[in-house]
Amino acid sequence: MADQQIGQLLDTLGVTTDLDDGDLVTDALVILKILQPDGSIALSIAATDTRDWINQTGLLRAAIDISEGRIRRDEDND
């Protein structure tokens, strides 16, 4: 396998997010479900270059909490 840019792929899949004017996206973690030629399913995780595995884990945990309703995306958790 070779690393590939996935911006256009995400556009093709119709991936969107809710951003307000002035929001600045600083990092991204993308989880991909892949149908391989032999019919098997694979999982891939892609991240911006600035993410190490500790920060990836934090982003993933926060995303799980948001998707399960434990916290809101815009909740201030200082």
Side-chain angles (χ1 to χ4, degrees):
M1 279 192 271
D3 284 346
Q4 298 180 32
Q5 297 288 325
I6 62 171
Q8 186 175 2
L9 171 63
L10 295 175
D11 291 343
T12 301
L13 292 171
V15 177
T16 63
T17 192
D18 182 20
L19 297 172
D20 293 328
D21 288 341
D23 285 353
L24 176 63
V25 177
T26 61
D27 300 294
L29 180 67
V30 179
I31 301 168
L32 305 164
K33 178 183 173 186
I34 301 165
L35 176 60
Q36 297 180 320
D38 67 1
S40 63
I41 301 294
L43 183 72
S44 179
I45 298 175
T48 50
D49 289 339
T50 58
R51 294 293 94 201
D52 59 30
W53 70 269
I54 294 171
N55 289 325
Q56 286 182 14
T57 301
L59 284 171
L60 182 56
R61 181 74 253 168
I64 290 168
D65 288 347
I66 290 167
S67 70
E68 292 179 346
R70 286 195 284 274
I71 59 173
R72 291 190 341 256
R73 182 181 79 95
D74 60 349
E75 189 172 309
D76 187 2
N77 289 317
D78 289 333

Coordinates of all heavy atoms in Angstrom, one line a residue:
M1 N 0.8 -1.2 0.0 CA 0.0 0.0 0.0 C 0.9 1.2 0.0 O 1.9 1.3 0.6 CB -0.9 0.0 1.2 CG -2.1 -0.8 1.1 SD -3.3 -0.5 2.5 CE -2.7 -1.7 3.7
A2 N 0.4 2.3 -0.6 CA 1.1 3.6 -0.6 C 0.2 4.7 0.0 O -1.0 4.6 -0.2 CB 1.4 3.9 -2.1
D3 N 0.8 5.6 0.6 CA 0.1 6.7 1.2 C -0.5 7.5 0.0 O 0.1 7.7 -1.0 CB 1.0 7.6 2.0 CG 1.3 7.1 3.4 OD1 0.6 6.1 3.8 OD2 2.2 7.6 4.0
Q4 N -1.8 7.9 0.2 CA -2.5 8.7 -0.8 C -3.2 9.9 -0.1 O -3.7 9.8 1.0 CB -3.5 7.8 -1.5 CG -3.0 6.7 -2.2 CD -4.1 5.9 -2.9 OE1 -5.1 6.4 -3.3 NE2 -3.9 4.6 -3.0
Q5 N -3.3 11.0 -0.8 CA -4.1 12.1 -0.4 C -5.6 11.7 -0.4 O -6.0 11.0 -1.4 CB -3.9 13.3 -1.3 CG -2.4 13.9 -1.2 CD -2.1 14.6 0.1 OE1 -3.0 15.2 0.7 NE2 -0.9 14.4 0.5
I6 N -6.4 12.0 0.6 CA -7.8 11.6 0.6 C -8.8 12.7 0.6 O -10.0 12.4 0.7 CB -8.0 10.6 1.8 CG1 -7.8 11.4 3.1 CG2 -7.2 9.4 1.7 CD1 -8.3 10.6 4.3
G7 N -8.4 13.9 0.4 CA -9.3 15.0 0.4 C -10.4 14.9 -0.7 O -11.6 15.0 -0.4
Q8 N -10.0 14.5 -1.9 CA -11.0 14.4 -3.0 C -11.9 13.2 -2.7 O -13.1 13.2 -3.0 CB -10.3 14.2 -4.3 CG -11.2 14.2 -5.5 CD -10.5 14.1 -6.8 OE1 -9.3 14.1 -6.9 NE2 -11.3 14.1 -7.9
L9 N -11.3 12.1 -2.1 CA -12.1 10.9 -1.8 C -13.2 11.3 -0.8 O -14.3 10.9 -0.9 CB -11.2 9.8 -1.2 CG -11.9 8.6 -0.6 CD1 -12.7 7.9 -1.6 CD2 -10.9 7.7 0.1
L10 N -12.8 12.1 0.2 CA -13.8 12.5 1.2 C -14.9 13.4 0.6 O -16.1 13.3 0.9 CB -13.1 13.2 2.4 CG -12.2 12.4 3.2 CD1 -11.5 13.3 4.3 CD2 -12.9 11.2 3.9
D11 N -14.5 14.2 -0.3 CA -15.5 15.1 -1.1 C -16.4 14.2 -1.9 O -17.6 14.4 -1.8 CB -14.8 16.0 -2.0 CG -14.0 17.1 -1.3 OD1 -14.2 17.3 -0.1 OD2 -13.1 17.7 -2.0
T12 N -15.9 13.1 -2.5 CA -16.7 12.2 -3.3 C -17.7 11.5 -2.4 O -18.8 11.2 -2.8 CB -15.8 11.2 -4.1 OG1 -14.9 11.9 -4.9 CG2 -16.6 10.2 -4.9
L13 N -17.3 11.1 -1.2 CA -18.2 10.4 -0.3 C -19.2 11.4 0.4 O -20.1 10.9 1.1 CB -17.3 9.8 0.8 CG -16.5 8.6 0.4 CD1 -15.6 8.1 1.5 CD2 -17.4 7.4 -0.1
G14 N -19.0 12.7 0.1 CA -20.0 13.7 0.7 C -19.7 14.0 2.1 O -20.7 14.4 2.8
V15 N -18.5 13.9 2.6 CA -18.2 14.1 4.0 C -18.3 15.6 4.3 O -17.7 16.4 3.5 CB -16.8 13.6 4.4 CG1 -16.4 14.0 5.8 CG2 -16.7 12.1 4.2
T16 N -19.1 16.0 5.3 CA -19.2 17.4 5.7 C -19.1 17.5 7.2 O -19.2 16.5 7.9 CB -20.6 18.0 5.2 OG1 -21.6 17.3 5.9 CG2 -20.7 17.9 3.7
T17 N -18.9 18.7 7.7 CA -19.0 19.0 9.1 C -19.6 20.4 9.3 O -19.7 21.2 8.4 CB -17.5 18.9 9.7 OG1 -17.7 18.9 11.1 CG2 -16.7 20.1 9.3
D18 N -20.0 20.6 10.6 CA -20.6 21.8 10.9 C -19.6 22.8 11.5 O -19.0 22.6 12.6 CB -21.7 21.6 12.0 CG -22.5 22.8 12.4 OD1 -22.5 23.8 11.7 OD2 -23.1 22.8 13.5
L19 N -19.3 23.8 10.7 CA -18.3 24.8 11.2 C -18.9 26.2 11.2 O -19.8 26.5 10.3 CB -17.1 24.9 10.2 CG -16.2 23.6 10.1 CD1 -15.2 23.8 9.0 CD2 -15.5 23.4 11.5
D20 N -18.6 27.0 12.1 CA -19.0 28.4 12.2 C -18.0 29.3 11.5 O -16.9 29.0 11.4 CB -19.2 28.9 13.7 CG -20.3 28.1 14.4 OD1 -21.3 27.8 13.7 OD2 -20.2 27.9 15.6
D21 N -18.5 30.5 11.1 CA -17.6 31.5 10.5 C -16.4 31.7 11.5 O -16.7 31.9 12.7 CB -18.3 32.8 10.2 CG -19.2 32.7 9.0 OD1 -19.0 31.7 8.2 OD2 -20.1 33.5 8.8
G22 N -15.2 31.7 11.0 CA -14.1 32.0 11.9 C -13.5 30.7 12.5 O -12.4 30.8 13.1
D23 N -14.2 29.6 12.5 CA -13.6 28.4 13.0 C -12.4 28.0 12.2 O -12.3 28.1 11.0 CB -14.6 27.2 12.9 CG -15.7 27.3 13.9 OD1 -15.6 28.1 14.8 OD2 -16.6 26.4 13.8
L24 N -11.3 27.5 12.9 CA -10.1 27.1 12.3 C -9.8 25.7 12.6 O -9.6 25.3 13.7 CB -8.9 28.0 12.8 CG -7.5 27.7 12.3 CD1 -7.4 27.8 10.7 CD2 -6.5 28.5 13.0
V25 N -9.8 24.8 11.6 CA -9.6 23.4 11.8 C -8.0 23.3 11.9 O -7.3 23.7 11.0 CB -10.1 22.6 10.6 CG1 -9.7 21.1 10.8 CG2 -11.6 22.7 10.5
T26 N -7.6 22.6 13.0 CA -6.1 22.5 13.2 C -5.6 21.1 13.0 O -4.4 20.9 12.7 CB -5.7 23.0 14.6 OG1 -6.4 22.2 15.6 CG2 -6.1 24.5 14.8
D27 N -6.5 20.1 13.2 CA -6.0 18.7 13.1 C -7.2 17.9 12.6 O -8.4 18.3 12.8 CB -5.5 18.2 14.4 CG -4.3 19.0 14.9 OD1 -3.3 18.9 14.3 OD2 -4.5 19.6 16.0
A28 N -6.9 16.7 12.1 CA -8.0 15.8 11.6 C -7.6 14.4 11.9 O -6.4 14.0 11.8 CB -8.3 16.0 10.2
L29 N -8.6 13.6 12.2 CA -8.5 12.1 12.4 C -9.6 11.5 11.6 O -10.8 11.8 11.8 CB -8.6 11.7 13.8 CG -8.4 10.3 14.2 CD1 -7.0 9.8 13.9 CD2 -8.8 10.0 15.6
V30 N -9.3 10.7 10.6 CA -10.2 10.2 9.7 C -10.2 8.6 9.8 O -9.1 8.0 9.7 CB -10.0 10.6 8.2 CG1 -11.0 10.0 7.2 CG2 -9.9 12.1 8.1
I31 N -11.4 8.0 10.0 CA -11.5 6.6 10.0 C -12.1 6.1 8.8 O -13.2 6.6 8.4 CB -12.3 6.1 11.3 CG1 -11.6 6.7 12.5 CG2 -12.4 4.6 11.3 CD1 -12.5 6.6 13.8
L32 N -11.5 5.2 8.1 CA -12.0 4.7 6.8 C -12.3 3.2 6.8 O -11.5 2.4 7.3 CB -10.9 4.9 5.7 CG -10.4 6.3 5.5 CD1 -9.1 6.3 4.7 CD2 -11.4 7.2 4.9
K33 N -13.5 2.9 6.4 CA -13.9 1.5 6.2 C -13.6 1.2 4.7 O -14.1 1.9 3.8 CB -15.4 1.3 6.5 CG -15.9 -0.1 6.3 CD -17.3 -0.3 6.5 CE -17.9 -1.6 6.2 NZ -19.3 -1.7 6.3
I34 N -12.8 0.2 4.5 CA -12.4 -0.1 3.1 C -12.9 -1.5 2.7 O -12.7 -2.5 3.4 CB -10.8 -0.1 3.1 CG1 -10.3 1.3 3.6 CG2 -10.3 -0.5 1.7 CD1 -8.9 1.3 3.9
L35 N -13.5 -1.5 1.5 CA -13.8 -2.8 0.9 C -12.7 -3.2 -0.1 O -12.4 -2.5 -1.0 CB -15.2 -2.7 0.1 CG -15.6 -3.9 -0.7 CD1 -15.8 -5.1 0.2 CD2 -16.9 -3.6 -1.5
Q36 N -12.0 -4.2 0.3 CA -10.9 -4.7 -0.5 C -11.3 -5.5 -1.7 O -12.4 -6.0 -1.7 CB -9.9 -5.4 0.4 CG -9.3 -4.5 1.5 CD -8.4 -5.2 2.4 OE1 -8.6 -6.4 2.7 NE2 -7.3 -4.5 2.8
P37 N -10.5 -5.6 -2.8 CA -10.8 -6.3 -4.0 C -11.3 -7.8 -3.7 O -12.1 -8.3 -4.5 CB -9.5 -6.3 -4.8 CG -8.8 -5.1 -4.4 CD -9.1 -5.0 -2.9
D38 N -10.8 -8.4 -2.7 CA -11.2 -9.8 -2.4 C -12.5 -9.9 -1.6 O -12.9 -11.0 -1.3 CB -10.1 -10.5 -1.7 CG -9.8 -10.0 -0.3 OD1 -10.5 -9.1 0.2 OD2 -8.9 -10.6 0.4
G39 N -13.1 -8.7 -1.4 CA -14.4 -8.7 -0.7 C -14.2 -8.5 0.8 O -15.3 -8.4 1.5
S40 N -13.0 -8.6 1.4 CA -12.8 -8.4 2.8 C -12.9 -6.9 3.2 O -12.8 -6.1 2.3 CB -11.5 -9.0 3.3 OG -10.4 -8.3 2.6
I41 N -13.2 -6.7 4.4 CA -13.3 -5.3 5.0 C -12.1 -5.0 5.8 O -11.6 -5.8 6.6 CB -14.6 -5.2 5.8 CG1 -15.8 -5.5 5.0 CG2 -14.7 -3.8 6.5 CD1 -16.2 -4.6 3.9
A42 N -11.6 -3.8 5.6 CA -10.4 -3.3 6.4 C -10.8 -2.0 7.0 O -11.7 -1.3 6.6 CB -9.2 -3.2 5.5
L43 N -10.0 -1.6 8.0 CA -10.1 -0.3 8.7 C -8.8 0.4 8.6 O -7.8 -0.2 8.8 CB -10.5 -0.5 10.2 CG -10.8 0.7 11.0 CD1 -12.1 1.3 10.6 CD2 -10.8 0.3 12.5
S44 N -8.9 1.7 8.3 CA -7.7 2.5 8.2 C -7.9 3.8 9.0 O -9.0 4.3 9.0 CB -7.3 2.8 6.8 OG -6.2 3.6 6.7
I45 N -6.9 4.3 9.6 CA -7.0 5.6 10.4 C -5.9 6.5 9.7 O -4.8 6.1 9.6 CB -6.7 5.4 11.9 CG1 -7.8 4.5 12.5 CG2 -6.7 6.7 12.6 CD1 -7.5 4.1 13.9
A46 N -6.4 7.7 9.3 CA -5.5 8.7 8.8 C -5.6 9.9 9.7 O -6.6 10.2 10.2 CB -6.0 9.0 7.4
A47 N -4.4 10.6 9.8 CA -4.4 11.8 10.6 C -3.5 12.8 10.0 O -2.6 12.5 9.2 CB -3.9 11.4 12.0
T48 N -3.7 14.1 10.4 CA -2.8 15.1 10.0 C -1.4 14.8 10.6 O -1.2 14.1 11.6 CB -3.2 16.5 10.5 OG1 -3.5 16.4 11.9 CG2 -4.5 16.9 9.8
D49 N -0.3 15.4 9.9 CA 1.0 15.1 10.3 C 1.4 15.5 11.7 O 2.3 15.0 12.3 CB 2.0 15.8 9.4 CG 2.0 15.2 8.0 OD1 1.6 14.0 7.9 OD2 2.4 15.8 7.0
T50 N 0.6 16.5 12.3 CA 0.9 17.0 13.6 C 0.4 16.1 14.7 O 0.7 16.3 15.9 CB 0.4 18.4 13.8 OG1 -1.1 18.3 13.6 CG2 1.0 19.3 12.9
R51 N -0.3 15.0 14.4 CA -0.9 14.2 15.4 C 0.0 13.0 15.7 O 0.4 12.2 14.9 CB -2.2 13.6 14.9 CG -3.3 14.6 14.7 CD -3.8 15.2 16.0 NE -3.0 16.4 16.2 CZ -2.9 17.0 17.3 NH1 -3.4 16.6 18.4 NH2 -2.2 18.1 17.4
D52 N 0.4 12.8 17.0 CA 1.0 11.6 17.5 C 0.0 10.7 18.0 O -1.2 11.0 18.1 CB 2.1 11.9 18.5 CG 1.5 12.6 19.7 OD1 0.4 12.4 20.1 OD2 2.3 13.4 20.4
W53 N 0.3 9.5 18.3 CA -0.7 8.5 18.7 C -1.4 8.9 20.0 O -2.6 8.5 20.2 CB 0.0 7.1 18.9 CG 0.9 6.9 20.1 CD1 2.2 7.1 20.1 CD2 0.5 6.5 21.4 NE1 2.7 6.9 21.4 CE2 1.7 6.5 22.2 CE3 -0.7 6.2 22.0 CZ2 1.7 6.2 23.5 CZ3 -0.7 5.8 23.3 CH2 0.5 5.8 24.1
I54 N -0.8 9.6 20.9 CA -1.5 10.1 22.1 C -2.6 11.0 21.7 O -3.7 10.9 22.2 CB -0.5 10.7 23.1 CG1 0.5 9.6 23.6 CG2 -1.2 11.3 24.3 CD1 1.7 10.2 24.4
N55 N -2.3 12.0 20.9 CA -3.3 12.9 20.5 C -4.4 12.3 19.6 O -5.6 12.6 19.7 CB -2.7 14.1 19.7 CG -1.9 15.0 20.6 OD1 -2.3 15.2 21.8 ND2 -0.8 15.6 20.1
Q56 N -4.0 11.3 18.8 CA -5.0 10.5 18.0 C -6.0 9.8 18.9 O -7.2 9.8 18.7 CB -4.3 9.5 17.1 CG -3.6 10.1 15.9 CD -3.0 9.0 15.0 OE1 -3.3 7.9 15.2 NE2 -2.1 9.4 14.1
T57 N -5.5 9.2 20.0 CA -6.3 8.5 20.9 C -7.3 9.5 21.6 O -8.5 9.2 21.8 CB -5.5 7.8 22.0 OG1 -4.6 6.9 21.3 CG2 -6.3 7.1 23.0
G58 N -6.8 10.7 22.0 CA -7.7 11.7 22.6 C -8.8 12.2 21.6 O -9.9 12.3 22.0
L59 N -8.4 12.4 20.4 CA -9.4 12.8 19.4 C -10.5 11.7 19.2 O -11.7 12.0 19.1 CB -8.8 13.1 18.0 CG -8.0 14.5 17.9 CD1 -7.3 14.5 16.6 CD2 -9.0 15.6 18.0
L60 N -10.0 10.5 19.1 CA -10.9 9.3 18.9 C -11.8 9.2 20.1 O -13.0 9.0 20.0 CB -10.1 8.1 18.7 CG -10.9 6.8 18.4 CD1 -11.8 7.0 17.3 CD2 -10.0 5.6 18.2
R61 N -11.3 9.3 21.3 CA -12.1 9.1 22.6 C -13.1 10.2 22.6 O -14.3 10.0 23.0 CB -11.2 9.2 23.8 CG -11.9 9.1 25.1 CD -12.3 7.6 25.4 NE -13.8 7.5 25.2 CZ -14.5 6.4 25.1 NH1 -13.9 5.3 25.2 NH2 -15.7 6.4 25.0
A62 N -12.7 11.5 22.3 CA -13.7 12.6 22.3 C -14.8 12.4 21.3 O -16.0 12.6 21.5 CB -13.0 13.9 22.1
A63 N -14.4 11.9 20.1 CA -15.4 11.6 19.0 C -16.4 10.5 19.5 O -17.6 10.6 19.2 CB -14.7 11.2 17.7
I64 N -15.9 9.5 20.2 CA -16.8 8.4 20.7 C -17.7 9.0 21.7 O -19.0 8.8 21.7 CB -16.0 7.3 21.3 CG1 -15.3 6.5 20.2 CG2 -16.9 6.3 22.1 CD1 -14.2 5.5 20.7
D65 N -17.2 9.8 22.6 CA -18.1 10.5 23.6 C -19.1 11.4 23.0 O -20.3 11.3 23.4 CB -17.2 11.3 24.6 CG -16.4 10.4 25.6 OD1 -16.7 9.2 25.6 OD2 -15.5 10.9 26.2
I66 N -18.8 12.1 22.0 CA -19.8 13.0 21.3 C -20.8 12.1 20.6 O -22.0 12.4 20.7 CB -19.0 13.9 20.3 CG1 -18.2 15.0 21.0 CG2 -20.1 14.6 19.3 CD1 -17.2 15.7 20.2
S67 N -20.4 11.1 19.9 CA -21.3 10.2 19.1 C -22.3 9.5 20.0 O -23.4 9.2 19.6 CB -20.6 9.3 18.2 OG -19.9 8.3 18.9
E68 N -21.8 9.2 21.2 CA -22.7 8.4 22.2 C -23.4 9.4 23.1 O -24.1 8.9 24.0 CB -21.8 7.5 23.0 CG -21.2 6.3 22.2 CD -20.4 5.4 22.9 OE1 -19.9 5.7 24.1 OE2 -20.1 4.3 22.4
G69 N -23.3 10.7 22.9 CA -24.1 11.7 23.6 C -23.6 12.0 25.0 O -24.3 12.7 25.8
R70 N -22.4 11.6 25.4 CA -21.9 11.9 26.7 C -21.4 13.3 26.8 O -21.5 13.9 27.9 CB -20.7 10.9 27.0 CG -21.2 9.5 27.4 CD -20.1 8.7 28.1 NE -19.1 8.3 27.1 CZ -19.2 7.1 26.4 NH1 -20.2 6.4 26.5 NH2 -18.2 6.8 25.6
I71 N -21.0 13.9 25.7 CA -20.7 15.3 25.7 C -21.2 15.9 24.4 O -21.3 15.2 23.4 CB -19.1 15.6 25.9 CG1 -18.3 14.9 24.8 CG2 -18.7 15.2 27.2 CD1 -16.8 15.3 24.8
R72 N -21.4 17.2 24.4 CA -21.8 17.9 23.1 C -20.5 18.4 22.4 O -19.5 18.7 23.1 CB -22.7 19.1 23.4 CG -24.0 18.7 23.9 CD -25.0 19.8 23.9 NE -24.4 21.2 24.0 CZ -24.3 21.9 25.0 NH1 -24.8 21.5 26.2 NH2 -23.8 23.1 24.9
R73 N -20.5 18.5 21.1 CA -19.4 18.9 20.3 C -18.9 20.3 20.8 O -17.7 20.6 20.8 CB -19.7 19.0 18.8 CG -18.6 19.4 18.0 CD -18.9 19.4 16.5 NE -19.7 20.6 16.2 CZ -19.1 21.8 15.7 NH1 -17.8 21.8 15.5 NH2 -19.8 22.8 15.4
D74 N -19.8 21.2 21.1 CA -19.5 22.6 21.5 C -19.4 22.8 23.0 O -19.3 23.9 23.4 CB -20.5 23.5 20.8 CG -21.9 23.3 21.3 OD1 -22.2 22.3 22.0 OD2 -22.8 24.1 21.1
E75 N -19.4 21.7 23.8 CA -19.4 21.9 25.2 C -18.0 22.3 25.7 O -17.0 21.8 25.2 CB -19.7 20.5 25.8 CG -19.9 20.5 27.3 CD -20.4 19.2 27.8 OE1 -21.4 18.7 27.3 OE2 -19.8 18.7 28.8
D76 N -18.0 23.3 26.6 CA -16.8 23.8 27.1 C -16.4 23.0 28.4 O -17.1 23.0 29.4 CB -16.9 25.3 27.5 CG -15.6 25.9 27.9 OD1 -14.6 25.3 27.9 OD2 -15.6 27.1 28.2
N77 N -15.3 22.2 28.3 CA -14.9 21.3 29.4 C -13.6 21.8 30.0 O -12.7 21.0 30.1 CB -14.8 19.9 28.9 CG -16.2 19.3 28.6 OD1 -17.1 19.4 29.3 ND2 -16.2 18.6 27.4
D78 N -13.5 23.0 30.4 CA -12.3 23.5 31.0 C -12.0 22.9 32.3 O -12.7 22.7 33.2 CB -12.3 25.0 31.1 CG -12.3 25.7 29.8 OD1 -11.7 25.1 28.9 OD2 -12.8 26.9 29.7

